[in-house]
Amino acid sequence: MPIQDTEHLEMIRKSVREFAEQHIRPFVMEWDESQHFPKDLMHALGAQGYLGVFVPEEYGGSGLGYQEYICIIEEVAKVCSSIGLSLAAHNSLCTGHINYFGNEAQKQKYLTKLATGQWIGAWGLTEANTGSDAMRMQCIAKKDGDHWVLNGTKNWITHGISGDVAVVIARTGELLDSNGMTAFIIENGTPGFRGGKKENKLGMRASETAELIFEDCRVHESQVLGKVGEGFKQAMKVLDGGRISIAALSLGIAKGSYEASVQYSKERQQFGQSISNFQGIAFKLADMAIKIEAAELLTRQAGKMKDEGRLTNKYSAMAKYYASEICVQAATDAIQIFGGYGYTKDFPVEKFFRDSKLCTIGEGTSEIQKLVISRAICNE
């Protein structure tokens, strides 16, 4: 988007694009079909500074803002949205939560490892029966001396098995009490804590999604993030940024679908001419271009507000909702433009199509985004 891209952003975009072409594109379908999470690649992304985008330089991070972050996620997602998803989850959820709410000792201990890619992060809020209805969570932490004892499970957790450390929100108070949940930092290898079932997914198959299981898991009180009882409110703030992440991921998928469609429509010949000359195809491309431009404006506006420290819940939800919905539309239209070839794994749009749907579900469904937006409007 020319009105937003500066020389600085273009330099970042070019660097990410070159990295993705060299280290990701050759393996995209191999990872997808085998559901392989390439942890070594995540370490390489960390070495490039892409796993600590918001983390201050004093903790080994890049100290950048949301405009740079949007470019990074978008460029990776244009090549492989699975890796874009893992990149987004690591930055905005686990690392982001510690960066926002951790004390100095926690930041020194964990951000330095997470930002450099030495460790991979996971974040646990969702449970089997509590997706959007997080205040009914059944993962419980009970105080026992200077420790907390956790029991329960978390579901749909990115890096649930491979993560080296997880930020987990557990109930420490009464059911339905927004002040009754607390966030904990829990390292992989802690007795009573393990990864569970790995999900067999439609799309985003190279991004690991699994259960977190807690069985009398003892966590020292020094591992509490912020104050006891603040976990739910912290999670809502983290998700504001996470929604911008999903919007950026959606942009990457939509742009990847669009760019592949433009190229193919110029090359594909029917009735003696390129199919891009046919109005039925040309109008699909026009609609894709308009919707992508609008989604990027919303996403960058939300990012700008976040960088300025302003309240972003309405704009983050708008960006996430619109970008994810047009992402699915763009991927669907791309399949149609490619015709039979689009239905094969020989072309990239088949994978964009499968991957796109998660964007309307993860980190709050489209329906939840409209609820957030409507409540914000009515309370203005």
Side-chain angles (χ1 to χ4, degrees):
M1 191 173 62
I3 63 170
Q4 290 286 350
D5 279 345
T6 63
E7 185 177 345
H8 166 65
L9 291 182
E10 278 303 313
M11 182 175 66
I12 291 173
R13 190 183 293 278
K14 182 175 182 291
S15 175
V16 178
R17 186 179 298 147
E18 290 174 352
F19 180 93
E21 290 294 332
Q22 181 179 351
H23 298 283
I24 301 176
R25 190 177 294 281
F27 311 103
V28 168
M29 292 313 297
E30 176 188 334
W31 293 338
D32 181 77
E33 293 186 355
S34 65
Q35 299 195 71
H36 171 66
F37 171 57
K39 195 170 181 180
D40 288 346
L41 175 72
M42 295 295 286
H43 296 317
L45 285 163
Q48 295 291 313
Y50 303 148
L51 294 189
V53 177
F54 305 117
V55 175
E57 293 181 19
E58 63 190 282
Y59 303 116
S62 300
L64 300 174
Y66 269 87
Q67 300 307 320
E68 295 89 347
Y69 180 62
I70 291 165
C71 285
I72 293 167
I73 298 297
E74 178 192 306
E75 287 299 323
V76 170
K78 282 165 68 175
V79 176
C80 181
S81 31
S82 294
I83 305 305
L85 175 62
S86 281
L87 191 62
H90 177 94
N91 271 288
S92 67
L93 300 180
C94 178
T95 307
H97 201 141
I98 297 172
N99 192 34
Y100 277 131
F101 299 106
N103 58 39
E104 185 59 28
Q106 290 167 340
K107 289 181 179 181
Q108 289 286 353
K109 183 175 182 179
Y110 294 109
L111 289 184
T112 52
K113 294 182 175 70
L114 290 165
T116 57
Q118 182 181 346
W119 279 13
I120 306 304
W123 191 76
L125 175 67
T126 304
E127 299 178 7
N129 295 312
T130 58
S132 301
D133 190 11
M135 286 200 294
R136 294 182 190 273
M137 67 173 57
Q138 296 300 313
C139 184
I140 296 173
K142 293 186 177 180
K143 197 76 163 64
D144 182 19
D146 58 358
H147 283 73
W148 289 86
V149 181
L150 276 72
N151 282 284
T153 60
K154 295 292 179 179
N155 292 69
W156 309 109
I157 308 305
T158 304
H159 312 148
I161 296 170
S162 298
D164 299 285
V165 63
V167 171
V168 177
I169 295 88
R171 184 154 60 84
T172 51
E174 296 300 317
L175 196 69
L176 301 179
D177 181 3
S178 62
N179 295 307
M181 286 159 277
T182 301
F184 300 88
I185 306 173
I186 309 177
E187 296 180 24
N188 193 356
T190 301
F193 171 45
R194 60 185 172 88
K197 174 191 173 186
K198 180 179 177 179
E199 302 296 342
N200 184 7
K201 300 176 296 182
L202 168 72
M204 304 287 192
R205 289 165 62 83
S207 180
E208 179 186 274
T209 305
E211 291 178 310
L212 296 179
I213 299 174
F214 304 91
E215 296 172 327
D216 293 327
C217 176
R218 293 180 64 83
V219 181
H220 193 265
E221 59 188 6
S222 63
Q223 298 300 99
V224 170
L225 258 175
K227 295 180 180 179
V228 172
E230 291 183 344
F232 180 77
K233 294 176 181 178
Q234 292 174 7
M236 294 304 102
K237 182 174 180 180
V238 169
L239 284 173
D240 272 349
R243 286 165 181 158
I244 300 173
S245 295
I246 300 299
L249 182 68
S250 301
L251 274 177
I253 296 172
K255 287 188 178 184
S257 300
Y258 168 72
E259 290 171 9
S261 298
V262 171
Q263 181 180 348
Y264 181 80
S265 70
K266 291 178 179 178
E267 296 171 353
R268 174 68 167 169
Q269 296 281 318
Q270 289 288 278
F271 305 101
Q273 58 184 311
S274 298
I275 63 171
S276 60
N277 291 332
F278 300 137
Q279 191 177 82
I281 301 298
F283 280 14
K284 285 186 187 298
L285 296 173
D287 283 339
M288 291 164 78
I290 293 165
K291 290 171 182 176
I292 289 169
E293 190 77 7
E296 184 158 11
L297 284 165
L298 274 172
T299 303
R300 291 203 177 273
Q301 172 65 13
K304 181 175 183 292
M305 294 175 68
K306 194 75 172 172
D307 283 338
E308 293 171 350
R310 296 161 64 190
L311 185 65
T312 63
N313 64 327
K314 181 176 80 171
Y315 285 94
S316 294
M318 284 181 170
K320 196 273 187 187
Y321 168 71
Y322 187 72
S324 66
E325 290 291 336
I326 70 100
C327 154
V328 173
Q329 294 170 25
T332 303
D333 284 345
I335 293 279
Q336 199 69 22
I337 290 169
F338 273 74
Y341 289 112
Y343 206 65
T344 72
K345 294 182 182 291
D346 296 327
F347 292 86
V349 294
E350 177 269 346
K351 184 174 183 296
F352 286 136
F353 181 75
R354 287 187 290 109
D355 289 350
S356 64
K357 190 57 191 171
L358 179 68
C359 296
T360 68
I361 300 170
E363 297 198 34
T365 63
S366 290
E367 291 74 17
I368 286 295
Q369 303 314 311
K370 288 194 278 189
L371 184 64
V372 171
I373 295 163
S374 61
R375 284 178 175 174
I377 291 169
C378 293
N379 289 329
E380 286 177 345

